[in-house]
Amino acid sequence: MTDLSVANSASAAAFDVEAVRRDFPILSQQVNGKPLVYLDNGASAQKPVAVLDAMDRYYREMHSNVHRGAHTLGDRATAAFEGARETVRNFVNAASTREIIWTRGTTEAINLVANGLAPRLKSGDEILVSHMEHHANIVPWQMIAERTGAKVVPIQVTPEGELDLDSFNSLLNDRTRILAITHVSNVLGTVNPVAPLIEQAKKRGILTLIDGAQAVPHFKPDVQALGCDFYVFSSHKLFGPTGIGVLYGKAQLLEEMPPYQGGGEMIERVSFERTTWNVLPYKFEAGTPAIAEAVGLGAAIDYLDSLDRGAMEAAEKALLERANQLVETVPGMEIIGTAANKVPVMSFKIAGLHPSDIGTLLDQQGIAIRTGHHCAMPLMDFYGVPGTARASFAFYNTLDEVDKLFTGLQKIQRLFA
């Protein structure tokens, strides 16, 4: 064992996973008569008591619309709402809260950016994405390409599930206007080397968007260090509530982009002759926002910040290492995506078994995974499969739960054998 492996093992051992699990009430239940083993965190993570309490307290003690209420409840709600924005700013290390836009989630954030950048595109321009993107980082660009005459061009991936850097270098050219790429693949768990890709793009004046939906549950991004123009993610994968997400954008670019939706809050002055826009970030936040959800997201980040991040990441790494060690105990099991740098996500297939059958039979044993194409059909086509089974781990999962997953898979394999 290397010195680094010893250090990681020590950190994982120091992480009190049982104490952490007590913070997540949903994990203590039984499903189909078995203790719940929740391994679908890549689709949506569970919520700690801190988030539940923060949202309950908001509704019990301070609910009001924000910003213009001339009363105490309005002031309390506004302080909590804008406090959450500051929490997010600190989490991603943005320069200002002006650069933090509330959205409904990652999907809306990408659509907002795509529509905002559409006026910059013309026929023959190229938008570079990767073959491992979620549909949310493909379809909005295709829609904009149809409107503008631009073209969406995919960067290839290797059989191991890593970005083909030769493909990237060959595709980058004078027609490339936008690079939109995932930080972490939702199917493969691959952590992409986005920093050097952003650096190369910046040298050519190419705008960059990073989809961080699958990254932020596992590590904190630093948007200033990355140098990206936009970074997007969802709350519900970050142990916060559904219905809210974040768009980070460089202030200068956000100032230049047109509003995405019209209505209240996003205006400065309205007349029948002319309407002018509010300042950032409110220019992109039309209508009553998801106030309680913002408060919940802020609480989720505060909760994560209360944990030992190094120990948490080491514990997650130990989960993936255990899973990789057990693969050989299931005859016919094949991992899809074996990149060297991964978060704890394992997509797999088992010879002779359909992914949906695997998921259904595991559920009977109280084990929750995800099956299907995972909103990544082009990647499924690349691997020549209709879909995969996917176990996605979080810091509150245990090594015992990894063992239960593979015991369940062994039972299923023997049943069909």
Side-chain angles (χ1 to χ4, degrees), residues 99-215:
E99 299 180 320
I100 302 299
I101 311 296
W102 299 122
T103 67
R104 288 183 300 159
T106 303
T107 298
E108 184 176 63
I110 295 173
N111 275 273
L112 189 161
V113 173
N115 279 272
L117 296 183
R120 297 169 176 258
L121 299 174
K122 63 183 185 301
S123 181
D125 286 347
E126 294 182 355
I127 303 162
L128 208 54
V129 299
S130 84
H131 219 91
M132 65 174 72
E133 300 304 315
H134 189 284
H135 295 163
N137 203 26
I138 299 174
V139 179
W141 301 112
Q142 290 176 325
M143 295 169 71
I144 296 305
E146 285 187 11
R147 279 169 41 189
T148 62
K151 181 181 179 182
V152 176
V153 180
I155 305 165
Q156 297 304 305
V157 298
T158 68
E160 294 75 24
E162 297 176 323
L163 274 182
D164 186 330
L165 297 181
D166 289 336
S167 173
F168 170 75
N169 290 325
S170 69
L171 293 172
L172 211 61
N173 61 64
D174 292 339
R175 298 183 302 278
T176 310
R177 297 290 176 264
I178 298 168
L179 171 65
I181 195 166
T182 187
H183 203 162
V184 171
S185 166
N186 70 307
V187 175
L188 309 169
T190 304
V191 181
N192 283 322
V194 294
L197 304 186
I198 292 167
E199 184 178 6
Q200 288 190 59
K202 286 174 66 175
K203 290 177 181 178
R204 291 175 171 264
I206 297 165
L207 297 177
T208 54
L209 177 143
I210 305 301
D211 175 357
Q214 296 290 334

Side-chain angles (χ1 to χ4, degrees), residues 213-292:
Q214 296 290 334
V216 294
H218 303 289
F219 53 84
K220 294 175 70 169
D222 185 333
V223 294
Q224 293 193 71
L226 289 174
C228 57
D229 296 304
F230 304 98
Y231 196 98
V232 300
F233 61 93
S234 298
S235 162
H236 71 100
K237 298 181 192 299
L238 189 58
F239 312 96
T242 58
I244 191 167
V246 172
L247 162 62
Y248 156 79
K250 288 183 177 176
Q252 180 179 344
L253 288 168
L254 293 173
E255 292 280 14
E256 294 170 358
M257 287 163 52
Y260 181 51
Q261 293 179 317
E265 187 65 30
M266 51 75 65
I267 53 85
E268 177 188 47
R269 173 154 180 80
V270 177
S271 71
F272 284 110
E273 290 72 36
R274 181 170 180 263
T275 294
T276 55
W277 316 132
N278 204 344
V279 297
L280 294 175
Y282 312 113
K283 170 184 171 183
F284 294 102
E285 295 179 359
T288 298
I291 307 167

Side-chain angles (χ1 to χ4, degrees), residues 346-398:
M346 177 174 279
S347 282
F348 61 91
K349 61 180 182 176
I350 299 176
L353 297 180
H354 195 280
S356 63
D357 292 331
I358 297 173
T360 299
L361 292 169
L362 284 175
D363 181 58
Q364 293 175 5
Q365 302 175 61
I367 303 168
I369 66 165
R370 179 99 356 198
T371 66
H373 55 67
H374 313 296
C375 293
M377 289 183 181
L379 189 60
M380 297 296 114
D381 291 342
F382 172 78
Y383 282 108
V385 295
T388 69
R390 183 188 69 185
S392 48
F393 305 95
F395 58 84
Y396 48 58
N397 290 123
T398 67

